[in-house]
Amino acid sequence: MPVSLIPSFLFFCSVTCSTPGPANLCSLAAAMRYGRRQALIQWRGLFTGFAVISIISVLLTYFLGTVIGPYIRYLSFIGAAYILWLAFRILRSDPEAENEKEAAQNCGFLTGLLIQFTNVKVMVFCLTALASYVLPYRSDLASLLLTGILLPFISGPPWNLVWLFAGAALRDFFIRHTRPLNIAMALALAACAVSLVWPR
């Protein structure tokens, strides 16, 4: 990609990845419910999942190109179903009733990984970034791979951390107002799910 496009690319990454989405909302909720330390374990799963999806997107873009484009829509339904399940879990959760073992099960590395693997926003983001900012200028595997390796460091996971630390800062407030905040986060996740499958 030309140097002149780098600011536009970074702006695209920031705007796309800073908005509320499944990973950001789960980072916020995990930090508010379980604290920063446990939420950071989940964040490692989010980072790993994002990195894996980024590399898979590179390989798909390189080997399949535009052939996969029409099928991305079907992935949206799987992602939406998982997001609705997360919303249901948040809505039904009771932080006072959860012990440390349950916290580790509900907010661990594997949870973060699953959130990203079903997060269609990440899949579409990675494919869009590669198709819009790299492929028009370079189509070699090395250029695509370099971009794919950089994406987890300049896009989604850093914004997940911002949401996580915001959640940690709001933890005392969350403990005092658990029910209304759980409802608000569940509704926000449900809105994410609807936006994934709503016809454009």
Side-chain angles (χ1 to χ4, degrees), residues 9-196:
F9 175 66
L10 293 175
F11 183 72
F12 164 74
C13 290
S14 295
V15 168
T16 305
C17 296
S18 65
T19 56
N24 286 340
L25 289 172
C26 287
S27 293
L28 179 76
M32 286 195 301
R33 183 170 294 113
Y34 305 116
R36 184 173 52 194
R37 182 179 300 184
Q38 188 66 40
L40 281 169
I41 295 170
Q42 177 178 283
W43 178 82
R44 290 183 197 117
L46 292 172
F47 181 90
T48 304
F50 194 104
V52 169
I53 290 170
S54 183
I55 298 304
I56 289 171
S57 297
V58 165
L59 297 174
L60 287 174
T61 302
Y62 182 73
F63 290 111
L64 299 178
T66 57
V67 174
I68 60 168
Y71 301 103
I72 290 175
R73 177 97 175 108
Y74 297 110
L75 296 174
S76 300
F77 292 99
I78 296 169
Y82 183 69
I83 291 168
L84 286 173
W85 179 80
L86 284 174
F88 178 73
R89 289 286 305 261
I90 287 173
L91 193 60
R92 300 234 11 230
S93 70
D94 179 9
E96 292 178 7
E98 292 177 335
N99 57 34
E100 283 187 29
K101 184 179 178 184
E102 288 169 328
Q105 289 173 342
N106 295 332
C107 180
F109 180 87
L110 188 58
T111 303
L113 203 61
L114 288 173
I115 289 167
Q116 291 297 46
F117 284 163
T118 57
N119 189 349
V120 177
K121 179 181 175 182
V122 170
M123 297 171 200
V124 172
F125 166 76
C126 290
L127 290 170
T128 302
L130 293 167
S132 302
Y133 287 95
V134 182
L135 277 181
Y137 309 99
R138 302 288 298 265
S139 59
D140 58 292
L141 184 58
S143 297
L144 290 167
L145 199 54
L146 178 62
T147 306
I149 290 169
L150 287 175
L151 282 178
F153 295 97
I154 62 172
S155 56
W159 282 105
N160 299 151
L161 270 180
V162 170
W163 283 76
L164 186 152
F165 285 114
L170 295 170
R171 188 162 193 232
D172 290 337
F173 178 78
F174 173 73
I175 290 169
R176 288 193 306 271
H177 306 285
T178 300
R179 192 70 185 149
L181 287 170
N182 275 353
I183 291 170
M185 285 186 290
L187 288 173
L189 278 173
C192 290
V194 169
S195 71
L196 286 176

